[in-house]
Amino acid sequence: KLTLSYSNVNTYYECPFKYYLGNILNINKFENSYYTILGSLFHEILSEIMELNLRDSLNYIDSSYNNKLIKYSEQYKYNISEYYFLNKLKDDLKYIVSEIAEHNSETSLNNFMLEKKIAFSLDDNTIFKGFIDKIMYKDLGNETIISVIDYKTGNPDINIDNIKYGLNMQLTAYLYLIRHGHELSPIFNNRVSFCGFYLQKILQNDIKINPKKSLDEQKRDNLKLCGYSTIDMDRLNYFDPTYENSKYIKGLKVSKSGSFFAYSKVLDDSTIDNLIDITEKKIMDAKDNILSGNFSISPKTLKGVDMSCSFCEFRDICYKTNKDIVNLDGYIEEPDDEKESKEEENEA
């Protein structure tokens, strides 16, 4: 039996040989680090407090956070500076909770699924699965409207342009799981319509001095949801009644003419359906290639950027050559001497 998820499908499209070494031979060794512990700690507490009344949960964070620090110390030994910052980040977590509580007090999507595991069979040999941090939904009788949120301790990457290459499919893979997960049928017993799909950054680790904004304004901006929303304003209003100049979604604003500004990331239903279809095709193609034993050394570059090797733990043993590299978009990096001559021409 083959079990696939967004992450290992993404690995396959980065480089099939990388997938082979990590997922078939299993020669990579997972080790907890400060960052994995931090991610687990924040995810776990955010999941737990959603079960409580968020506004009454700040006291709960103090005791729960400390207990979990002790629990995770059995898996990873913090050094003095790590322990100091882990304790300091507790205040950040309280701030995040207060912001989520404010949104929950305004949204009409007041049903939640947290840390939801969804899995179903692609065929007799293959299962596709995923864990979704938060599904918010409301049953309107003739349809169930849904928003999907995934927490990120790093910098969110929401570029759906890369889905055609099988990369950055996390959020659309979640939409695919929701639409095809049979276990959700009893809950969503009617047509599913999406309000949006988002990543939410949950660490305040890159606040910069900005004289035009207060620290609190910057922190709020940093916590705004990054992703794509429905262009259907009536539906979006259920999720975010402030959508005309959104307090909760980054870059979402309506002009005086009543239409979204061009920079707003909004999609119609047919585009969302198409994204789900592309995601399904890329998942099925990866499945077929894996079952066929196609594990070529073929790392990818996109717009001159290495997509595969920079953080690959196998780069010392794959013996790739330049001819193995697959340029996804035909981008050709200019030689340094040509760049310099152009710069000199422009200067002249």
Side-chain angles (χ1 to χ4, degrees):
K1 294 286 185 179
L2 174 65
T3 299
L4 293 177
S5 65
Y6 148 74
S7 60
N8 57 33
V9 168
N10 192 73
T11 298
Y12 184 83
Y13 281 109
E14 285 180 358
C15 177
F17 190 61
K18 181 179 181 180
Y19 175 93
Y20 175 69
L21 295 176
N23 297 86
I24 305 296
L25 298 187
N26 294 311
I27 64 173
N28 55 331
K29 182 183 179 184
F30 174 79
E31 293 182 347
N32 275 313
S33 67
Y34 168 74
Y35 296 101
T36 60
I37 293 298
L38 181 61
S40 298
L41 182 64
F42 270 54
H43 276 76
E44 198 171 331
I45 292 180
L46 284 170
S47 176
E48 289 175 358
I49 61 174
M50 290 296 293
E51 305 287 354
L52 306 170
N53 181 330
L54 280 171
R55 295 195 182 279
D56 298 332
S57 63
L58 298 185
N59 291 332
Y60 171 82
I61 290 176
D62 283 319
S63 60
S64 178
Y65 197 93
N66 293 335
N67 289 337
K68 291 184 193 305
L69 278 182
I70 295 170
K71 180 185 79 171
Y72 283 120
S73 69
E74 298 171 3
Q75 304 173 27
Y76 176 77
K77 302 302 178 187
Y78 323 117
N79 63 37
I80 293 172
S81 61
E82 288 171 342
Y83 189 73
Y84 169 79
F85 281 110
L86 281 167
N87 275 289
K88 197 167 178 58
L89 286 169
K90 182 164 56 177
D91 292 332
D92 276 359
L93 186 57
K94 289 181 178 180
Y95 187 88
I96 293 165
V97 169
S98 65
E99 290 297 296
I100 293 174
E102 183 179 333
H103 183 202
N104 285 359
S105 69
E106 296 196 56
T107 184
S108 298
L109 272 60
N110 44 21
N111 296 300
F112 301 93
M113 292 184 195
L114 307 166
E115 297 286 330
K116 179 65 178 175
K117 178 183 178 181
I118 307 173
F120 58 89
S121 297
L122 299 178
D123 58 29
D124 291 341
N125 298 309
T126 313
I127 291 171
F128 188 72
K129 69 173 185 179
F131 290 88
I132 305 175
D133 286 337
K134 184 162 65 176
I135 301 172
M136 302 172 65
Y137 66 97
K138 184 177 183 64
D139 186 346
L140 297 181
N142 61 332
E143 67 175 339
T144 300
I145 56 175
I146 295 172
S147 279
V148 176
I149 297 173
D150 193 73
Y151 299 128
K152 286 293 175 191
T153 50
N155 290 314
D157 186 350
I158 57 167
N159 188 356
I160 57 174
D161 292 340
N162 294 342
I163 291 173
K164 60 189 174 188
Y165 305 120
L167 302 171
N168 303 118
M169 296 197 305
Q170 181 175 11
L171 289 174
T172 56
Y174 290 162
L175 303 186
Y176 172 65
L177 282 163
I178 289 170
R179 180 155 289 176
H180 295 281
H182 305 299
E183 65 202 77
L184 297 182
S185 298
I187 302 168
F188 306 146
N189 55 6
N190 44 42
R191 183 167 63 89
V192 166
S193 300
F194 293 106
C195 286
F197 46 101
Y198 311 96
L199 297 176
Q200 183 168 33
K201 186 175 182 180
I202 55 174
L203 275 186
Q204 302 284 344
N205 58 351
D206 60 353
I207 300 293
K208 298 178 176 65
I209 296 174
N210 184 343
K212 295 182 179 179
K213 288 188 177 182
S214 68
L215 177 61
D216 188 67
E217 287 174 321
Q218 290 184 72
K219 288 171 74 173
R220 286 177 69 97
D221 284 347
N222 213 34
L223 281 173
K224 284 185 176 181
L225 301 169
C226 299
Y228 294 83
S229 307
T230 176
I231 202 168
D232 185 327
M233 294 182 182
D234 291 335
R235 190 192 309 160
L236 184 56
N237 185 63
Y238 283 104
F239 176 61
D240 180 7
T242 74
Y243 72 89
E244 291 184 351
N245 187 11
S246 180
K247 295 193 295 184
Y248 306 111
I249 302 171
K250 190 179 289 292
L252 187 65
K253 192 172 182 179
V254 174
S255 67
K256 291 180 180 179
S257 66
S259 59
F260 286 105
F261 278 99
Y263 56 75
S264 298
K265 291 180 169 60
V266 290
L267 305 171
D268 59 29
D269 287 345
S270 63
T271 302
I272 293 174
D273 290 342
N274 188 47
L275 290 171
I276 296 172
D277 290 343
I278 293 171
T279 300
E280 180 177 37
K281 184 178 187 312
K282 300 308 291 187
I283 291 168
M284 299 302 281
D285 287 348
K287 168 189 73 77
D288 292 342
N289 277 297
I290 291 167
L291 293 175
S292 299
N294 180 1
F295 302 117
S296 62
I297 298 174
S298 50
K300 312 300 189 298
T301 64
L302 182 62
K303 295 181 180 177
V305 177
D306 170 30
M307 304 294 288
S308 309
C309 303
S310 297
F311 301 102
C312 178
E313 57 197 313
F314 309 122
R315 59 186 178 274
D316 292 333
I317 61 172
C318 82
Y319 304 111
K320 71 166 188 185
T321 63
N322 286 337
K323 71 176 190 301
D324 295 319
I325 298 172
V326 177
N327 189 340
L328 293 174
D329 59 352
Y331 176 88
I332 299 174
E333 183 74 23
E334 286 184 344
D336 288 340
D337 55 348
E338 288 188 24
K339 283 184 184 176
E340 287 175 12
S341 63
K342 280 190 177 180
E343 286 174 11
E344 288 170 4
E345 284 176 20
N346 291 335
E347 209 170 292

